[in-house]
Amino acid sequence: MKKLTLEVLGMSCGHCVNSIEGSVGALNGVEKVKVHLSEGLVDIEFNPEAVTLEQIKETIDDQGYEVKGERAHV
């Protein structure tokens, strides 16, 4: 499993949290997704053999948000 945090712009309410957690969480290979609304961060734990980081970013983008950057967990 790979863990990382994405910096996401445009999240402002509970609907944003549900939208991202629901859509990213539904991807095959995503184990956990947690939105931290006040910080503009999304923690993700996923299997890179089942889903790519690009697919995750595209899913967030498709929901109307912008992935600004990423932070790897060591």
Side-chain angles (χ1 to χ4, degrees):
M1 284 294 163
K2 184 173 182 175
K3 296 180 182 181
L4 57 84
T5 299
L6 298 176
E7 298 172 43
V8 179
L9 301 177
M11 300 185 302
S12 61
C13 64
H15 172 74
C16 302
V17 173
N18 294 336
S19 177
I20 290 176
E21 288 183 352
S23 62
V24 173
L27 291 172
N28 185 38
V30 173
E31 184 70 26
K32 295 180 185 175
V33 57
K34 174 68 177 158
V35 173
H36 302 279
L37 188 60
S38 60
E39 294 94 1
L41 301 175
V42 179
D43 292 333
I44 302 172
E45 185 174 334
F46 66 102
N47 179 350
E49 294 178 11
V51 64
T52 67
L53 179 55
E54 280 308 309
Q55 288 172 309
I56 293 170
K57 288 180 178 180
E58 286 174 14
T59 299
I60 292 172
D61 185 60
D62 288 347
Q63 296 300 311
Y65 308 100
E66 178 186 350
V67 178
K68 176 87 171 155
E70 60 189 74
R71 303 175 189 171
H73 290 244
V74 181

